[in-house]
Amino acid sequence: MRRALILALLAFATPVLADSNMPAAPLADVQLADARQEAAATALMETIRCLVCQGQSIADSNAELAGDMRSLIRQRIAAGERPEAIRAWLVRRYGAWVSYSPALTPVTWPLWIAPLAFLAIGVAVARTGLRRRRRR
Amino acid sequence: MIAEAGLAALWLGAMLCALQLVLAVAVLGPSSRNSPSSSTSPSSKRTLGSPAAGAALSSRDPSVRWDDEGVEEVGLARLVQPVAVAQAVLTALAFAALIALFVRVDLSVLLVAENDNSEKPLLYRFAGAWGNHEGSMLMWVTILGLAGAAVALLERRLVPRMLIATLGGQAAIGLGFYAFLLFASNPFARLDPAPPEGRGLNPLLQDPGLAFHPPTLYLGYVGLSVAFSFAIGALVTREVGPAFARAMRPWVLGAWIFLTLGITAGSYWAYYELGWGGWWFWDPVENASLMPWLAATALLHSVTVLATRDGLRAWTIMLAVVAFSMSMVGTFLVRSGILTSVHAFAVDPRRGSFLLALLLIYIGGALALFALRVGTVREGNRFDAVSREGALVVNNLLLTAVLGIVLVGTLYPLIVEAVSGTKLSVGPPYFNAAVGPLALLLVIVMGAGPLMRWRREDVAPLLRRLAPAAALLVAVLVALRLLVPSIGLLPLLGLAVAAGTAVASVAPLWRRNLLRTPLFTWGMVVAHLGIAVALAGMACDSAFTVERLVAASVGQTVTVGPYSVRFAGVDPSFGENYEAMEATLEVRRGQGDPAFLRPQARAYWSPPTETSESAIRTVLDGQLYTVLGKQADDGRWQLRLWWKPFVTLIWFGGALVALGGALALVGRVARDVRARRREAAFA
Amino acid sequence: MSGRPILWAPLVAFILLAAFLTYGLAKPDDTNITSKMVGAAVPPFRLPPATPGMPGLASADLAAGKPHLVNIFASWCVPCAAEAPQLRAIADAGVPIVGIAVRDRPEALADFLHRYGNPYARIGSDNASQVQMALGSSGVPETFVVDGRGMIRRQTIGPINPQDVADTIAAVQAAR
């Protein structure tokens, strides 16, 4: 029900009744004192998909669970964990869906090959054209 | 009564549209079979694909052909134009009727009851007419009708046969969308009994952006339908040459200007409305609007090669088909809701199947026609690799590759789910990595291309012309690397390339008499400069943005970038259909006078929704972006503050690009009109 | 025919694209994110009591030999209230149910339990959704079947409806 409601409306237009009215998680909206750690946390948050509104990263979401996820990420970064380890932890729980950055796996290699393939096809087409021109 | 009148006008428009198609087929059908001069005669069919046939076709004087055809057909052909105009008038009436219903809040109409509300301000009752599925499709059909009428009335350079074929193509597209409206999304359906009050419009859409963004985007999409119809007309009549390209160019240019404006406006709207300071998310809906733009940009440049040098014939036809296909695929992606998006709008999977059917008919049909017919038009003029044409080919290649990447990246989650059943996401990390380098290369080629001559260019003088820009590029690269060691690779390259290409873009004006430089050259320079400016804005935003998140108590001062922000207090505030908590922020830069920003946390009543309204201070060198969040238990308020240096360059650049397009359009049209007057004077 | 098959490539590519679009339209609209932890052990955690007078919840409680139903819920969640009678019925059938209260206040929770009944043996308070995330859950209510060795056997997203009660009881009993 809650999911259906939220998805039916725009992600940012949060329906009034769905919130817990609890204060945000400790580090949901509090930056880490260490600027480098904060930058690493922000970079990671921008690539983690919000589970509630689903159309945004948790860095851009007002959903409470997104705040809780930001808090989790900041805590772990502050504790010295590497961003990719945290991403792996989340992917272990929610699947590849939760990461906006598709890892290089057998399922995604066509995706990563695609840019090169497009370029190669384009160059091949253009070159046959040029060669024909030279032959004239 | 208004609703019934609107529906009647829509039905009549649909019938005229059908008539337009029938007339076009009647005019074109027999003549292409009987007329000896027609290109579909068996003799020319055998020579399909040979260079000789292409040359013979384009060299034939079109006016002679027209005289060859029967008087009857000319009579029929004369009917097509008034029919196209009448159809446009009728759809415009239907659309006006819908707007009237929304402004009057006639709740006995289902669509009004579902999307309108009498407490809504006038602007949003007006714009609300297209803030929903049915209304926006009616707007689409209206613009399609108006574009058809404009082609019928204004287009003077086309061979008449091709004009008829183009209007026939336009009618064929129109018919599908009329059917879609009348059978699957009637905007005028009644609701009995009428409810006491309407449900209202999603608050995020209650913004001046709604009045501006969808109409511009639709003008762009539909303008591409004209290019598509031209391509169909060209394939049917086999008239692909400079004359065709010159006729098509203003329409492509016009559509492209509107697309540019629509995307720029949409980006800024999302930027200030969503309240997180982002201006591009690589969201499926954003990609859906970017893809037609990429195709139209490629088309705009290839059509220039065709008009100037009679090259890239088949490729230009292909791009015209692809550009409109992308706007239809985009519309489908947005409406069907098969991909999750922040900007989800009027989603309805049931109607998706109707749109998909239209997609199959039009795109499938056009591509089949292309495969069958393009053999006759494949050959064009040849040119060297290092030349203006060569640069434009590279431009087309890169634009198409980027288009392919965006398309594949957007649909990949769907493809994977179809093939393997697993869910995955493709987002900014992929798009930035895959598109970023190509885009930078593209911008470099954009800077260098206009400094090359048509046909053939020697490398040494070209390098000399490029030297200042290249020197600046390297200087910026080195300076930034030394001064800002933490800068990311893409923003670093972005800034350097932006600086270099900005100089290269204005180089075509060097040592020229600026007053006698043609307007379309000015247009090109301004548009290219706009791209460099926008790129600089994007790079600055990602490299130098400062973010501050604080739970502030009243009276507390926070610094963000060059600003100090004093949290002066929070007060309740009321709008016409919402209540809000409004923060007062006293912002001060250095010792300057304070300014006041008032971000709000709003609660709308119908439908009950919470939004946060950002408050932005724009100065020459950037924006201070402020958002009010929730109140914590201890009474402090969450504030989100950003200092974004030069972020405004993104949209300013976009506006420059559109302005450049407009200059080019005016320049081209003015030149045409002058040429026509001169011909008339000599005749 | 032009005799150049390459000219048909765009049409073929488009038909492939259309096939995927058709699939996208035809597939059921499923926005649920299922937990990938099903089949794995409950990650170690320890949650304090969510309301006075009831014990909190730790992962050790779930690996003590008996299967459990782990219900993730909150007093502010409307479907959770609708689910309460079904949980009552499941508890009455002898299935131990433990709760994880997400982002909840003790007094609000006590009020909720008073109003809709208390089928829980223990309730842990998960104030920042940390355990919810550790389990791979993305909303409330969600229910996990955990076997006697602490392995997650099944996840139910959304409320347990009356017609699901028998099935849920059977799933817990089968998880021994």
Side-chain angles (χ1 to χ4, degrees):
Chain A
M1 255 305 280
R2 182 167 92 106
R3 289 166 214 270
L5 258 178
I6 290 174
L7 290 170
L9 292 162
L10 279 181
F12 270 87
T14 343
V16 172
L17 290 173
D19 283 349
S20 69
N21 286 323
M22 281 279 281
L27 293 179
D29 297 301
V30 176
Q31 289 166 299
L32 295 174
D34 181 335
R36 295 185 78 151
Q37 286 189 336
E38 174 64 19
T42 310
L44 178 60
M45 290 186 290
E46 281 168 357
T47 64
I48 297 297
R49 191 162 185 171
C50 173
L51 296 159
V52 181
C53 36
Q54 305 203 347
Q56 293 157 297
S57 76
I58 56 169
D60 296 340
S61 172
N62 287 335
E64 288 190 327
L65 188 58
D68 292 344
M69 290 174 89
R70 290 198 297 270
S71 187
L72 175 103
I73 286 176
R74 285 204 176 95
Q75 275 170 12
R76 288 176 168 237
I77 294 268
E81 199 167 338
R82 297 184 55 80
E84 287 317 302
I86 304 173
R87 186 196 303 282
W89 189 89
L90 285 167
V91 168
R92 174 72 188 86
R93 270 137 190 93
Y94 297 108
W97 183 90
V98 80
S99 166
Y100 268 123
S101 177
L104 199 58
T105 63
V107 175
T108 57
W109 72 255
L111 180 70
W112 287 102
I113 291 282
L116 298 175
F118 283 125
L119 271 186
I121 294 171
V123 169
V125 169
R127 280 201 34 197
T128 48
L130 285 174
R131 218 176 296 137
R132 212 182 299 141
R133 269 163 210 131
R134 242 175 267 136
R135 214 179 291 143
R136 188 177 66 152
Chain B
M1 269 320 287
I2 301 180
E4 281 69 30
L7 190 58
L10 201 56
W11 271 104
L12 283 174
M15 287 170 190
L16 286 179
C17 185
L19 179 62
Q20 184 175 330
L21 181 59
V22 170
L23 283 173
V25 171
V27 171
L28 295 171
S31 80
S32 50
R33 252 176 276 122
N34 302 334
S35 159
S37 70
S38 157
S39 49
T40 28
S41 61
S43 64
S44 70
K45 211 166 203 166
R46 231 171 288 124
T47 58
L48 292 185
S50 86
L57 274 173
S58 61
S59 66
R60 201 180 286 142
D61 183 353
S63 62
V64 177
R65 263 216 222 185
W66 180 247
D67 296 339
D68 283 350
E69 286 170 12
V71 179
E72 269 179 354
E73 285 154 20
V74 177
L76 271 184
R78 290 224 172 98
L79 265 178
V80 175
Q81 280 165 313
V83 166
V85 174
Q87 184 208 328
V89 171
L90 284 166
T91 52
L93 280 177
F95 189 49
L98 187 70
I99 292 177
L101 291 171
F102 266 85
V103 170
R104 294 160 52 126
V105 197
D106 184 342
L107 296 169
S108 68
V109 174
L110 179 64
L111 189 65
V112 179
E114 281 179 348
N115 295 287
D116 207 5
N117 184 288
S118 57
E119 283 175 3
K120 226 164 44 167
L122 175 66
L123 175 66
Y124 305 134
R125 276 179 302 172
F126 184 84
W130 57 80
N132 55 74
H133 166 78
E134 287 85 349
S136 59
M137 286 322 292
L138 179 56
M139 179 190 235
W140 169 291
V141 170
T142 304
I143 298 175
L144 193 70
L146 292 174
V151 173
L153 289 176
L154 302 175
E155 193 50 66
R156 297 277 157 72
R157 333 167 40 128
L158 278 188
V159 186
R161 270 175 54 77
M162 212 184 117
L163 177 62
I164 302 295
T166 302
L167 288 174
Q170 199 74 0
I173 298 172
L175 214 50
F177 284 94
Y178 276 114
F180 186 35
L181 264 181
L182 291 169
F183 299 124
S185 22
N186 177 9
F188 296 108
R190 288 283 189 188
L191 180 62
D192 189 33
E197 182 53 287
R199 248 188 260 164
L201 178 70
N202 184 322
L204 283 188
L205 294 178
Q206 298 194 21
D207 185 275
L210 177 66
F212 185 72
H213 169 65
T216 32
L217 214 49
Y218 284 6
L219 278 167
Y221 281 179
V222 176
L224 290 180
S225 81
V226 178
F228 179 85
S229 301
F230 267 80
I232 299 302
L235 285 172
V236 168
T237 62
R238 298 164 202 247
E239 289 282 348
V240 183
F244 155 78
R246 277 195 283 268
M248 182 160 95
R249 179 159 54 188
W251 297 99
V252 177
L253 203 47
W256 180 79
I257 294 167
F258 282 117
L259 279 180
T260 308
L261 280 177
I263 294 173
T264 307
S267 162
Y268 192 65
W269 184 14
Y271 168 77
Y272 70 72
E273 187 68 39
L274 295 188
W276 290 91
W279 52 274
W280 193 266
F281 303 89
W282 292 109
D283 176 277
V285 167
E286 292 166 3
N287 294 350
S289 72
L290 181 66
M291 289 189 283
W293 185 86
L294 290 167
T297 310
L299 175 60
L300 188 61
H301 291 88
S302 81
V303 93
T304 298
V305 175
L306 183 53
T308 316
R309 299 280 309 135
D310 196 13
L312 302 183
R313 289 179 175 180
W315 177 243
T316 304
I317 296 285
M318 185 71 217
L319 276 181
V321 172
V322 167
F324 181 59
S325 301
M326 284 303 139
S327 28
M328 285 197 49
V329 168
T331 308
F332 171 79
L333 288 181
V334 176
R335 298 308 169 95
S336 66
I338 63 172
L339 300 169
T340 314
S341 162
V342 202
H343 313 282
F345 168 76
V347 169
D348 187 345
R350 278 177 300 124
R351 285 166 182 141
S353 40
F354 205 117
L355 270 176
L356 187 62
L358 292 182
L359 215 69
L360 280 170
I361 295 170
Y362 294 133
I363 306 178
L367 290 175
L369 186 66
F370 177 84
L372 286 172
R373 283 284 174 95
V374 83
T376 46
V377 295
R378 195 184 314 131
E379 291 296 321
N381 261 329
R382 295 106 190 275
F383 43 82
D384 269 24
V386 182
S387 65
R388 179 83 68 92
E389 296 97 315
L392 286 168
V393 166
V394 175
N395 143 308
N396 265 246
L397 198 160
L398 290 172
L399 278 168
T400 317
V402 171
L403 170 62
I405 293 168
V406 176
L407 183 66
V408 167
T410 307
L411 293 178
Y412 203 72
L414 193 67
I415 297 172
V416 166
E417 206 181 333
V419 173
S420 74
T422 54
K423 286 185 168 190
L424 63 81
S425 305
V426 178
Y430 171 77
F431 288 107
N432 290 341
V435 171
L438 292 189
L440 287 176
L441 202 58
L442 185 62
V443 175
I444 292 174
V445 175
M446 176 199 83
L451 298 177
M452 299 187 195
R453 279 192 304 248
W454 292 102
R455 296 182 74 177
R456 170 189 289 266
E457 176 64 271
D458 294 320
V459 176
L462 174 66
L463 289 182
R464 229 172 295 133
R465 261 170 269 157
L466 284 172
L472 182 65
L473 193 155
V474 173
V476 171
L477 198 67
V478 173
L480 274 174
R481 192 74 193 80
L482 293 177
L483 294 176
V484 196
S486 63
I487 193 168
L489 182 63
L490 270 184
L492 172 69
L493 292 174
L495 276 170
V497 167
T501 42
V503 170
S505 302
V506 294
L509 296 179
W510 283 347
R511 303 207 195 99
R512 277 182 91 146
N513 181 337
L514 292 185
L515 288 177
R516 297 188 61 181
T517 302
L519 205 50
F520 50 78
T521 304
W522 274 103
M524 176 192 74
V525 166
V526 171
H528 285 184
L529 184 63
I531 296 281
V533 168
L535 176 62
M538 297 169 195
C540 278
D541 180 49
S542 54
F544 305 124
T545 292
V546 181
E547 180 183 47
R548 283 301 302 272
L549 309 173
V550 279
S553 39
V554 173
Q556 190 178 337
T557 299
V558 189
T559 54
V560 50
Y563 278 93
S564 66
V565 178
R566 197 178 75 86
F567 181 37
V570 175
D571 302 290
S573 147
F574 294 91
E576 279 184 72
N577 52 353
Y578 62 84
E579 56 192 6
M581 293 308 287
E582 183 180 87
T584 301
L585 304 178
E586 187 185 316
V587 306
R588 192 191 291 265
R589 189 172 188 171
Q591 296 306 309
D593 291 331
F596 293 91
L597 287 179
R598 296 189 165 82
Q600 294 182 336
R602 282 188 191 169
Y604 282 83
W605 303 318
S606 60
T609 320
E610 288 174 356
T611 70
S612 52
E613 292 289 308
S614 59
I616 300 174
R617 175 159 175 81
T618 306
V619 288
L620 273 180
D621 59 342
Q623 285 187 329
L624 178 65
Y625 188 115
T626 65
V627 178
L628 175 66
K630 281 189 173 178
Q631 187 173 26
D633 280 352
D634 58 4
R636 293 188 299 169
W637 288 83
Q638 183 66 40
L639 292 178
R640 301 201 296 264
L641 312 170
W642 284 272
W643 164 244
K644 294 177 159 287
F646 297 106
V647 68
T648 35
L649 291 184
I650 297 171
W651 307 289
F652 178 64
L656 272 184
V657 172
L659 172 69
L663 288 178
L665 182 62
V666 171
R668 296 279 177 209
V669 171
R671 175 172 275 205
D672 283 1
V673 170
R674 272 200 305 275
R676 215 175 291 144
R677 284 221 190 98
R678 220 173 297 135
E679 275 168 33
F682 283 115
Chain C
M1 294 277 170
S2 67
R4 302 240 320 159
I6 187 79
L7 294 179
W8 293 89
L11 184 62
V12 173
F14 169 69
I15 288 170
L16 202 63
L17 171 79
F20 285 119
L21 295 183
T22 312
Y23 165 80
L25 211 53
K27 82 173 159 75
D29 189 23
D30 181 15
T31 50
N32 289 334
I33 305 304
T34 53
S35 172
K36 299 290 177 284
M37 294 298 278
V38 175
V42 171
F45 69 87
R46 175 176 297 276
L47 288 176
T51 189
M54 282 192 72
L57 183 67
S59 48
D61 301 329
L62 298 172
K66 274 174 72 181
H68 284 85
L69 206 58
V70 179
N71 182 235
I72 299 179
F73 74 110
S75 68
W76 44 267
C77 142
V78 180
C80 296
E83 184 186 48
Q86 285 77 268
L87 288 180
R88 179 77 266 163
I90 293 169
D92 288 347
V95 172
I97 303 180
V98 294
I100 294 177
V102 175
R103 307 185 59 85
D104 224 330
R105 294 175 198 273
E107 60 277 23
L109 188 62
D111 184 49
F112 178 87
L113 296 176
H114 177 71
R115 192 175 304 177
Y116 299 105
N118 182 359
Y120 303 101
R122 302 165 162 270
I123 305 179
S125 166
D126 191 13
N127 267 342
S129 317
Q130 307 280 315
V131 173
Q132 182 183 30
M133 282 186 266
L135 291 170
S137 153
S138 53
V140 276
E142 275 187 26
T143 309
F144 289 89
V145 173
V146 177
D147 72 13
R149 288 173 302 130
M151 303 293 275
I152 301 173
R153 291 294 192 83
R154 192 169 98 152
Q155 180 194 26
T156 307
I157 295 176
I160 295 173
N161 295 315
Q163 65 269 27
D164 307 329
V165 169
D167 182 45
T168 307
I169 294 171
V172 180
Q173 279 164 354
R176 268 173 215 287

